[in-house]
Amino acid sequence: MDLRPPALEISGLTKSFGGRLAVDHLDLTIPQGEFHALLGPNGAGKTTTLRMVAGLLKPDIGTVRILGHDVMQQPARAKQVLAFLPDEPLLYGKLRALEYLEFVAGLWGVPADVAGKKAEGLLRLLDLWGHAGELVEEYSRGMKQKLALAGALIHDPSVLILDEPLTGLDAAAARLVKDLLLERVAHGGTVILTTHILEIAERLAQRISIVHHGHVVAQGHLEELRATASTQGQAGATLEDVFLQLTGSAGE
Amino acid sequence: MKLVAAVRPGSTRWLIRHEIRLAWRGAGSQRTWVLAFFIAMWLVLHVGAYVVFRQWVGTGDLPAWAALMAAAATWAILGLMLAGAISGSVQALFERGDLDLLLSSPLPTQAVFMARGLGVAADVGRTLLFLLSPVANVGVLIGHWRLLAIYLVLPAMALGIAALGMWLSLAMVRLLGARRTRSLGQVLGTLVGAASFLAIQLRAQFSADTLAAIGAVAEHLTGPYSLLWLPSRALAGEPLPLLVLFAVGAGAFWLVVRIAHHRFLAGTQESVTGSATRARVAPAASTQRFRGGLLRTVLMKEWRLILRDPKLIAQTLTQLLYVCVPVLVAAAGRNATPTALTSLIGPAVVYCAASLVSRLAGITVSGEEAPDLLQTSPVSFSRLRWLKAAAALLPVWLIAAPALAFASGTHVLGLLALLLCLVGATVTEAAGQVWYARPAKRSDLSRTSQGRGVGGVIAGITAFAWAVLAFCMVEAPSYALGALTVAMLGMAVLRLLGRKRQAEG
């Protein structure tokens, strides 16, 4: 039995915008060392949930704990072990890649010598080292995405949350990033990602949560989700079938 | 039948209509009110023009120095128009997202560039038309019918400048890339504007006789038919200059559109792929050593971002110029003794430093490209804002302190008092930015107002009180306590309201 605190523990999380409920009493627990995919149709509340987890949005009610640290009560402790990569990361166009990573490392208090080596390693791994001296504004979208990922990894977070991390990446870069994420999980890290590409969730994630209308409508391993779908009359269903059935999108 | 139905889709007129619609919708949600305001202002300008004309009619001819001032003003305006045309051309020809769509359609490229070029010309000419058309209208009413030439010359000037701007931007985009060319155009515009402002301030220092003498020398050196006088003479309705300017302006535009549009097309494609071809070798990335520390990394980040943004630097220096030059001109206008003038330097430096901090802290604190990154970091947002404000304070203190040392001479106590006022005034402005920050993308700061409402007003008054205190300590010690009280009170109110605002936010 795992006595360690969960990587992420969300309880009764609720958020509304102008009377419209975006997240509705959402509960979710993700243990440490898991690769977890958060799926849902557009407007389901995934990004809002992740932004509350990252401390960017204040929930109306509910709690979020990261490795046991309450995001609202102990924000510094929670953020220290977390990295959040938004779907469209904003970078400083007038900084060079190494300068950007130096700044991010400074924010998370990574010792300079460690950060320098780590930055070089990440840039080499992500095939950006040859462009390390260029201003970020000269980067392509995929290069920016990879640099943002390097920034998210520079402080070696225990919990990595990524919102659509493969957007804008070519096949080789996407493969590289997927391998990198799997390696982190293999070394005990926790990765939580949202994606619209169901195949990625199917191939990478150990467990999947499907969010619809602001709360989790199904959760589990792929087989468990298939079983859920089977009980509703679809034996041997694919993740796509399960997803469409649970979100009520089938046949629409 | 609707009027628009008569316009053939894909024609130049159709594209122009498309441009007008985009410009109208891009003017914001309050555009109808804005338009009504400008129409009202335009009518008011007619009254102003009438008052000026009555004076002119009453005294006979234009004063002797007016020709020189008119020529100088016209060339300054042409400079501003050219800077605007370069920025506008880069935006219209290389940066607007819809260009790919238009150029991949079966529309003739010539029609696309004609419409874009006319858009640039309208953009650079509209302000001038707004300001000068009342002069033409009122002039005609009171018998100066030649001023109707304004309606011919201005569009011709706008077309000619737009053509020149388009050519220059094409050449510069090939050399520097679209983004840098646009920055260059904006910096050029800022510098020309600043130079014009300086010229107006300096003009006040010369008598009418001196200006007339300078005008006579200029005319003697250049001759009455020099190009120097051509634009102003054309605007005044002289037939030959008018004809020349109209032919040159309209002809240049026609040539650019008719002959050179293929080169623009090639330039557009180059600008799209240019980043790859211009990619330079990374400058010795492996030699860079990271240095730790939150303060250092935040300071370095802010300073790098400012130093690499020539547009922001130019705007900041210009703003400083707008504050400092009138202060110094006013001081010189007092005909004060050298000792009294020296005593004004300290307060002037304190006030100018506070203004500079207000602007710089506005950029470092409010301008943030990656707010999500900062908010997800374990450092508190309030602490980060103060560190960003420090990036504005430190260089200003470094610049201002030697000036204060000069102003205080050998008086150590006087220097300490001035330094206290400097710290008080600049920290007040920095605090105003920290507590009343209006976050925006740094790239949007030049386009959006940095107003902080009541907080900005209180910070401004408090900073001014510190400058007054600096003056009182040297010139009028009996008032120093009053100035100090206002400064301290201002800081207290600022903090109180700032705390309330932060609690609400």
Side-chain angles (χ1 to χ4, degrees):
Chain A
M1 187 180 169
D2 192 354
L3 293 175
R4 296 177 300 170
L8 176 64
E9 189 179 11
I10 299 175
S11 175
L13 197 67
T14 303
K15 180 75 185 175
S16 60
F17 297 103
R20 193 185 66 82
L21 215 51
V23 177
D24 183 10
H25 295 88
L26 187 139
D27 297 311
L28 180 66
T29 301
I30 298 171
Q32 289 187 41
E34 180 172 296
F35 200 127
H36 196 99
L38 212 56
L39 307 181
N42 291 330
K46 303 183 299 291
T47 298
T48 306
T49 302
L50 293 189
R51 290 181 74 81
M52 285 191 280
V53 170
L56 294 170
L57 271 178
K58 204 173 165 183
D60 294 341
I61 48 172
T63 56
V64 177
R65 288 177 180 276
I66 295 164
L67 295 179
H69 307 299
D70 191 308
V71 171
M72 297 305 294
Q73 306 297 325
Q74 305 160 288
R77 284 190 179 182
K79 288 173 179 180
Q80 188 66 50
V81 293
L82 176 77
F84 172 60
L85 187 66
D87 55 344
E88 283 189 25
L90 297 168
L91 304 168
Y92 302 99
K94 298 284 181 194
L95 289 187
R96 299 190 170 93
L98 278 172
E99 292 167 350
Y100 171 74
L101 294 179
E102 185 184 19
F103 174 64
V104 180
L107 287 177
W108 264 267
V110 183
D113 52 339
V114 176
K117 284 178 192 156
K118 184 100 180 163
E120 182 176 343
L122 283 167
L123 291 180
R124 284 190 190 282
L125 182 69
L126 293 166
D127 201 20
L128 289 174
W129 184 246
H131 303 276
E134 292 171 24
L135 293 180
V136 172
E137 67 187 11
E138 291 171 4
Y139 279 21
S140 69
R141 187 178 174 187
M143 289 162 77
K144 285 179 182 167
Q145 188 79 8
K146 287 195 281 185
L147 178 61
L149 181 64
L153 294 174
I154 192 114
H155 68 284
D156 212 5
S158 304
V159 182
L160 182 58
I161 298 179
L162 310 108
D163 196 0
E164 297 285 351
L166 303 178
T167 310
L169 296 182
D170 60 29
R175 177 70 176 268
L176 196 67
V177 170
K178 282 188 272 186
D179 289 346
L180 189 67
L181 299 179
L182 286 170
E183 193 189 320
R184 289 198 69 77
V185 175
H187 285 86
T190 307
V191 174
I192 303 163
L193 65 74
T194 71
T195 179
H196 281 111
I197 308 168
L198 300 182
E199 190 198 352
I200 290 172
E202 201 165 356
R203 282 178 53 192
L204 299 182
Q206 292 158 337
R207 287 199 313 148
I208 295 166
S209 294
I210 297 178
V211 180
H212 190 41
H213 292 315
H215 57 266
V216 177
V217 292
Q219 190 186 65
H221 302 277
L222 188 54
E223 287 309 316
E224 290 170 342
L225 292 176
R226 279 198 183 119
T228 308
S230 299
T231 58
Q232 294 177 27
Q234 264 198 298
T238 63
L239 179 59
E240 188 178 35
D241 295 329
V242 175
F243 177 81
L244 293 176
Q245 191 175 68
L246 291 172
T247 58
S249 309
E252 279 181 15
Chain B
M1 186 180 166
K2 286 167 76 177
L3 180 68
V4 289
V7 182
R8 184 172 57 82
S11 65
T12 305
R13 281 173 62 198
W14 182 81
L15 281 168
I16 291 169
R17 191 166 64 84
H18 173 68
E19 292 288 317
I20 292 170
R21 183 171 56 190
L22 290 181
W24 173 245
R25 292 190 182 164
S29 56
Q30 303 290 316
R31 54 188 177 246
T32 311
W33 288 107
V34 172
L35 183 67
F37 172 76
F38 275 107
I39 290 172
M41 287 299 297
W42 187 69
L43 293 174
V44 170
L45 282 176
H46 281 77
V47 178
Y50 180 72
V51 172
V52 173
F53 268 116
R54 271 182 65 94
Q55 276 187 330
W56 177 17
V57 170
T59 56
D61 212 346
L62 273 174
W65 52 266
L68 176 71
M69 292 308 294
T74 311
W75 281 103
I77 286 165
L78 282 171
L80 284 173
M81 287 170 79
L82 180 61
I86 292 172
S87 300
S89 299
V90 174
Q91 217 260 330
L93 299 177
F94 300 101
E95 291 186 342
R96 262 179 57 179
D98 61 344
L99 205 63
D100 282 352
L101 172 70
L102 291 172
L103 293 179
S104 62
S105 76
L107 294 183
T109 52
Q110 189 175 307
V112 174
F113 284 108
M114 167 74 94
R116 289 289 155 104
L118 285 174
V120 173
D123 216 30
V124 296
R126 66 183 175 188
T127 308
L128 216 52
L129 194 66
F130 173 77
L131 292 172
L132 289 185
S133 56
V135 175
N137 297 344
V138 174
V140 170
L141 275 179
I142 61 172
H144 296 281
W145 57 270
R146 276 189 166 190
L147 287 175
L148 274 178
I150 285 173
Y151 285 113
L152 279 179
V153 176
L154 270 188
M157 272 167 55
L159 287 173
I161 292 290
L164 185 60
M166 287 157 85
W167 267 112
L168 283 175
S169 46
L170 175 67
M172 287 195 290
V173 163
R174 283 184 170 174
L175 269 174
L176 307 170
R179 201 179 289 111
R180 289 195 188 97
T181 303
R182 196 174 179 205
S183 288
L184 196 70
Q186 286 161 334
V187 170
L188 187 67
T190 311
L191 292 180
V192 174
S196 310
F197 176 76
L198 262 182
I200 291 166
Q201 295 294 322
L202 289 176
R203 179 241 167 277
Q205 302 301 308
F206 294 117
S207 67
D209 291 342
T210 312
L211 284 169
I214 295 171
V217 170
E219 186 160 351
H220 176 73
L221 289 175
T222 59
Y225 300 106
S226 162
L227 280 177
L228 179 70
W229 313 106
L230 185 79
S232 51
R233 287 172 61 183
L235 279 169
E238 286 189 37
L240 189 62
L242 192 156
L243 201 66
V244 170
L245 206 71
F246 189 79
V248 168
F253 187 80
W254 183 84
L255 272 175
V256 166
V257 173
R258 282 273 166 184
I259 298 169
H261 68 275
H262 288 300
R263 297 197 62 186
F264 280 114
L265 184 63
T268 306
Q269 298 313 311
E270 276 181 29
S271 81
V272 172
T273 55
S275 59
T277 55
R278 278 193 305 278
R280 289 153 298 170
V281 177
S286 58
T287 59
Q288 171 154 343
R289 271 188 58 226
F290 276 26
R291 293 185 183 87
L294 183 63
L295 174 67
R296 189 196 161 278
T297 47
V298 172
L299 291 181
M300 290 307 294
K301 172 237 172 192
E302 294 301 335
W303 290 340
R304 279 172 179 147
L305 291 181
I306 288 176
L307 289 173
R308 288 172 190 168
D309 198 336
K311 191 178 76 182
L312 270 182
I313 294 174
Q315 283 175 338
T316 304
L317 292 178
T318 307
Q319 200 178 48
L320 189 66
L321 197 74
Y322 290 154
V323 172
C324 293
V325 171
V327 170
L328 295 174
V329 168
R334 290 179 63 205
N335 293 322
T337 61
T339 317
L341 264 178
T342 308
S343 72
L344 279 169
I345 290 177
V349 168
V350 168
Y351 188 66
C352 291
S355 299
L356 187 57
V357 164
S358 174
R359 169 71 184 168
L360 285 177
I363 295 167
T364 58
V365 177
S366 293
E368 178 54 53
E369 301 291 343
D372 284 3
L373 173 71
L374 301 190
Q375 286 193 5
T376 54
S377 80
V379 186
S380 82
F381 209 51
S382 163
R383 189 176 168 207
L384 274 174
R385 278 190 171 161
W386 273 110
L387 292 175
K388 283 158 148 274
L393 283 166
L394 292 177
V396 175
W397 286 348
L398 209 64
I399 296 166
L404 293 182
F406 167 75
S408 56
T410 53
H411 299 286
V412 178
L413 275 178
L415 175 61
L416 287 176
L418 284 175
L419 286 175
L420 175 76
C421 292
L422 173 74
V423 172
T426 50
V427 169
T428 301
E429 285 287 10
Q433 291 291 354
V434 169
W435 293 329
Y436 296 86
R438 292 198 167 166
K441 280 183 77 175
R442 193 175 288 248
S443 50
D444 293 338
L445 280 182
S446 56
R447 293 199 296 272
T448 57
S449 163
Q450 273 188 273
R452 290 161 288 148
V454 70
V457 175
I458 295 170
I461 291 172
T462 311
F464 186 71
W466 281 108
V468 171
L469 176 63
F471 176 78
C472 290
M473 285 196 292
V474 181
E475 290 278 300
S478 53
Y479 293 101
L481 191 63
L484 182 65
T485 308
V486 173
M488 300 309 286
L489 206 64
M491 288 185 83
V493 173
L494 196 69
R495 180 70 193 109
L496 205 68
L497 291 179
R499 196 173 277 176
K500 193 177 162 198
R501 189 185 147 107
Q502 282 180 323
E504 287 168 359

